[in-house]
Amino acid sequence: MNEQRVRVSVDAHGVAEVILARPDKMNALDPAMFEALTAAMERLRGDAAVRAVVLHGEGRAFCAGLDKSSFEAMMRGDRSFGDIERRTHGLANLWQQVAWGWRELPVPVVAAVQGVAFGGGLQIALGADVRYARPDTKFSVMEIKWGLVPDMSGCVFMAELLRADVARELTFSGRVVESDEAVRIGLATRICEDPLAEARALARQIAGSSPDAIRAAKRLLNGASAVRADAVLLAESREQQALIGSANQVEAVRAGLEGRAGAFR
């Protein structure tokens, strides 16, 4: 695992902590971060002693989304991301797995969110079972700014958590949502002055309960979703594959990086 991107620990009670550890870049997602997060999930899935997971970002942000260099590569026409329609991790591809994988872990995942959770960072947070946020945290479905759609399993999570018109408005606009609204609409569970302390306390409580019942409860709640995750995850990838590198998507990236309005065809 790339320790420069993600740190993982498991205490004597079975509480795991997964820390996005790229604070100088607001924990932005680059290829190494994707690989490290996936490796962290695999490590936790293989550890029968793990009873709960606390997920958080180091520094002033949870995760600012995709790294700027990735958008610059898109603008240059770099398609090294490969065939994102290919399912490499069960129902998901690598990019979806860093968010969807929290849902598939057999134990509860509690996210502590501070600063910003934008774009892919928001989708990772939505993959957690519970999200505690500081009062000043900001959230955004920001993909539209870059001529893209949420394709890291965000469409599955938003369909479960949000009213349909709210999900559409946030996706179409990319507007920034403050913590109080995030709780009202379902992006966050509740506001905490110290979300990391609260997340650790909940995880410790979960770890003290019957692990059989906790795992059964997560399976039941996962199974109760009305969303066909397999179909939606594949549809996300197909739509994104068609957008990446297209003329209007490249113009969206260029405009975003240059701080101007896009001139779309």
Side-chain angles (χ1 to χ4, degrees):
M1 186 185 307
N2 190 330
E3 294 293 343
Q4 294 181 334
R5 293 290 185 267
V6 174
R7 295 198 302 274
V8 180
S9 63
V10 181
D11 70 15
H13 304 281
V15 174
E17 288 209 12
V18 178
I19 305 169
L20 283 66
R22 201 185 180 204
D24 57 319
K25 299 292 185 181
M26 297 177 73
N27 299 314
L29 301 165
D30 65 354
M33 182 75 88
F34 280 100
E35 295 289 351
L37 280 168
T38 305
M41 293 173 185
E42 290 303 316
R43 171 179 167 181
L44 296 177
R45 187 176 289 109
D47 188 345
V50 173
R51 296 191 175 189
V53 178
V54 174
L55 173 65
H56 61 103
E58 187 175 38
R60 60 194 177 99
F62 177 77
C63 178
L66 200 60
D67 187 276
K68 182 179 176 181
S69 64
S70 298
F71 293 116
E72 292 171 339
M74 289 179 190
M75 191 169 65
R76 295 193 303 269
D78 182 356
R79 298 183 69 87
S80 59
F81 56 84
D83 179 10
I84 63 176
E85 290 187 40
R86 190 163 65 90
R87 306 295 87 184
T88 56
H89 295 74
L91 301 181
N93 61 32
L94 171 63
W95 294 268
Q96 292 167 325
Q97 183 64 12
V98 299
W100 181 250
W102 305 117
R103 171 66 60 86
E104 292 192 320
L105 278 185
V107 298
V109 179
V110 186
V113 188
Q114 85 284 5
V116 302
F118 287 166
L122 173 59
Q123 293 179 80
I124 290 172
L126 294 182
D129 298 284
V130 176
R131 287 164 301 287
Y132 293 154
R134 278 181 51 89
D136 56 355
T137 305
K138 301 181 187 302
F139 303 78
S140 175
V141 186
M142 194 166 276
E143 283 77 10
I144 193 64
K145 175 181 178 181
W146 306 106
L148 299 171
V149 294
D151 75 324
M152 288 170 51
S153 64
C155 291
V156 176
F157 300 137
M158 286 193 292
E160 292 178 346
L161 294 167
L162 309 181
R163 253 177 33 199
D165 60 325
V166 173
R168 289 167 188 255
E169 188 232 2
L170 295 180
T171 303
F172 298 157
S173 69
R175 73 177 178 88
V176 174
V177 173
E178 307 284 345
S179 288
D180 55 350
E181 183 182 4
V183 171
R184 288 200 308 272
I185 64 178
L187 289 177
T189 306
R190 61 183 173 91
I191 297 172
C192 308
E193 289 297 330
D194 189 342
L196 182 54
E198 296 280 358
R200 286 169 171 162
L202 176 60
R204 186 73 175 268
Q205 178 183 343
I206 291 169
S209 300
S210 164
D212 297 337
I214 291 291
R215 288 175 179 239
K218 182 157 181 177
R219 287 193 300 270
L220 280 170
L221 292 168
N222 283 353
S225 173
V227 181
R228 279 196 57 202
D230 56 343
V232 176
L233 290 172
L234 183 57
E236 282 185 351
S237 298
R238 285 175 172 163
E239 295 288 358
Q240 198 79 307
Q241 184 94 24
L243 288 170
I244 294 175
S246 65
N248 278 338
Q249 194 269 322
V250 170
E251 169 59 13
V253 171
R254 185 173 286 114
L257 294 177
E258 295 174 359
R260 59 172 174 80
F264 300 111
R265 299 180 184 178

